[in-house]
Amino acid sequence: MISRVADHCFWFGRYLERTENMARILAVTQNLALDAEIPTQQCWLPVIIVAGQKAHFGAEHGEEAAADGELVQRYMSFDEDNPTSLRSSISAARWNARSIREVVSLEVWETVNELHLWVNSEEAREEFRSSRYAFYRRVRQLTQLCLGLTQSTMLNDTPLDFIWLGVLLERVGQTARTLDVHHHALTNLPPPPPSEMSAQAQGALRRQHRVVETALWLSLLRACSGFEPFMKLNQGQVSEQAVAQFLLYEPRFPRSIRHCVHAAFARLCEIRPPDSVALPGGESLERLQLLHQWVADRATEAFDPMAVHAALTHVVDETAMICDGIGRELLGYGPPDSNPTVTSQ
């Protein structure tokens, strides 16, 4: 398999996963902004941060514009200058699929092309204006359909391994960033009321504080498609420790960091078997194996809420290094400082 085809397969998977993840986060955040009694900027700023577009958004619209939910949603849905918007990610996924049309199945191509044509149509903009929930649901459903079709209509060989390696590594990064941003915001909520207030008033505000905190934890679970699985495992007991451990270490949840790192390692082993020392990709494989073992070791240790940020930062940094290594060793990229395509995808 030539590196050009592998590169398009890898990024096709990444862009599909990025699209589905962003549509889900936008839908969940919109519901949170409508239902929870918290400042709008506290709802929408994490969306921009998770997408890595805080500096770009601030330069274009000003930092205070993050309090405008409608503006943030338009920016994250249709802005062509935003490389992480739904429109940009869908166009990139379609371009990569078109470049390897002989590799992806007809059903996969038709689905991603349908999504691309629809999101650029007036019909999509009208649905965005009239029914935001239906707009995000359609994006999610078509990307989920496309991901499912890759598994059910393509041969289980190297192109599919590269597609799903991209999906899984993108999912690791997205879950880690989402949990990190929301965990930081949740652990820095305003403190309970001061002691000079009456006992009755303090009790009422503490209850309200707990309701808001629970709503935010549930919103985080929904943003990662983890609400129902979490509730089945924890019998409805929502806490910082339970949610963080679930999204980090639950091996049975397909979006947990532990599960995705394990599955990505298995895919890379299919592409580049560990015993094939003469083949390229050994450095990336070793790094991914070390990350897999590191996450598994952390899962057996006592939970420390103060260490969550450091753990997630390590996961994000290592995932980025692994993706860069795969690009250099398997996808034909040059050194990062001499080949702009490493960061332009």
Side-chain angles (χ1 to χ4, degrees):
M1 186 176 186
I2 62 175
S3 60
R4 179 189 68 82
V5 175
D7 184 36
H8 287 305
C9 289
F10 183 74
W11 279 100
F12 176 59
R14 290 195 68 174
Y15 279 122
L16 282 179
E17 178 63 24
R18 190 174 298 178
T19 300
E20 197 274 341
N21 185 78
M22 182 51 63
R24 184 173 3 94
I25 289 177
L26 287 168
V28 169
T29 305
Q30 187 201 23
N31 289 335
L32 179 67
L34 292 173
D35 297 337
E37 296 180 0
I38 56 177
T40 54
Q41 186 167 8
Q42 190 174 340
C43 289
W44 291 107
L45 182 59
V47 176
I48 301 170
I49 295 174
V50 167
Q53 297 302 310
K54 183 179 179 181
H56 181 264
F57 180 85
E60 291 288 319
H61 304 286
E63 293 185 4
E64 297 303 317
D68 186 345
E70 284 297 309
L71 175 61
V72 173
Q73 289 181 82
R74 289 196 300 272
Y75 175 77
M76 294 307 307
S77 296
F78 294 109
D79 195 321
E80 293 182 342
D81 294 327
N82 173 13
T84 62
S85 71
L86 296 178
R87 186 178 182 182
S88 296
S89 295
I90 291 167
S91 295
R94 191 252 190 187
W95 178 79
N96 279 281
R98 184 171 178 266
S99 300
I100 49 170
R101 178 62 193 85
E102 73 282 2
V103 173
V104 299
S105 67
L106 174 63
E107 292 86 351
V108 169
W109 165 248
E110 287 180 340
T111 303
V112 72
N113 194 46
E114 176 188 345
L115 177 59
H116 169 74
L117 294 174
W118 175 77
V119 82
N120 285 281
S121 68
E122 183 57 35
E123 177 189 352
R125 290 189 176 271
E126 177 57 34
E127 190 163 281
F128 181 84
R129 289 189 291 265
S130 62
S131 179
R132 199 65 49 82
Y133 172 78
F135 174 83
Y136 293 138
R137 181 179 60 182
R138 182 159 183 175
V139 173
R140 293 200 318 272
Q141 287 179 339
L142 285 174
T143 50
Q144 289 165 354
L145 174 61
C146 195
L147 287 170
L149 285 169
T150 62
Q151 301 240 33
S152 61
T153 63
M154 290 180 61
L155 292 173
N156 283 280
D157 59 4
T158 306
L160 186 64
D161 287 330
F162 270 108
I163 289 174
W164 274 90
L165 180 62
V167 169
L168 291 162
L169 289 176
E170 181 73 21
R171 191 173 292 178
V172 170
Q174 293 287 351
T175 299
R177 283 191 292 270
T178 302
L179 176 55
D180 191 22
V181 170
H182 285 77
H183 184 270
H184 175 76
L186 286 163
T187 53
N188 288 275
L189 285 173
S195 57
E196 60 266 18
M197 296 181 64
S198 68
Q200 184 177 4
Q202 286 185 47
L205 285 177
R206 283 197 182 95
R207 287 191 294 273
Q208 182 181 6
H209 186 273
R210 285 195 297 271
V211 168
V212 170
E213 185 177 2
T214 300
L216 290 172
W217 285 120
L218 294 178
S219 174
L220 171 57
L221 286 169
R222 291 189 177 97
C224 297
S225 292
F227 175 75
E228 288 188 8
F230 175 86
M231 289 300 181
K232 290 175 181 177
L233 287 178
N234 293 274
Q235 289 79 46
Q237 300 298 316
V238 181
S239 67
E240 171 191 353
Q241 177 176 342
V243 173
Q245 284 187 308
F246 177 79
L247 294 176
L248 274 166
Y249 304 127
E250 177 50 57
R252 294 167 293 177
F253 178 53
R255 290 186 178 275
S256 77
I257 290 171
R258 184 178 182 182
H259 176 92
C260 292
V261 170
H262 172 75
F265 176 65
R267 289 284 181 179
L268 190 52
C269 285
E270 291 293 326
I271 295 168
R272 197 276 187 190
D275 56 354
S276 301
V277 294
L279 295 178
E283 180 183 336
S284 300
L285 184 67
E286 181 181 3
R287 194 155 199 155
L288 187 51
Q289 183 179 19
L290 290 173
L291 178 59
H292 173 226
Q293 188 59 51
W294 184 88
V295 173
D297 291 343
R298 299 290 86 72
T300 62
E301 298 176 357
F303 178 77
D304 180 8
M306 302 304 295
V308 170
H309 173 68
L312 293 169
T313 300
H314 178 73
V315 169
V316 170
D317 291 345
E318 282 299 304
T319 303
M321 293 297 293
I322 290 165
C323 289
D324 288 345
I326 290 171
R328 291 193 306 273
E329 293 185 283
L330 298 174
L331 305 182
Y333 300 170
D337 58 350
S338 65
N339 191 339
T341 61
V342 174
T343 56
S344 66
Q345 287 266 18

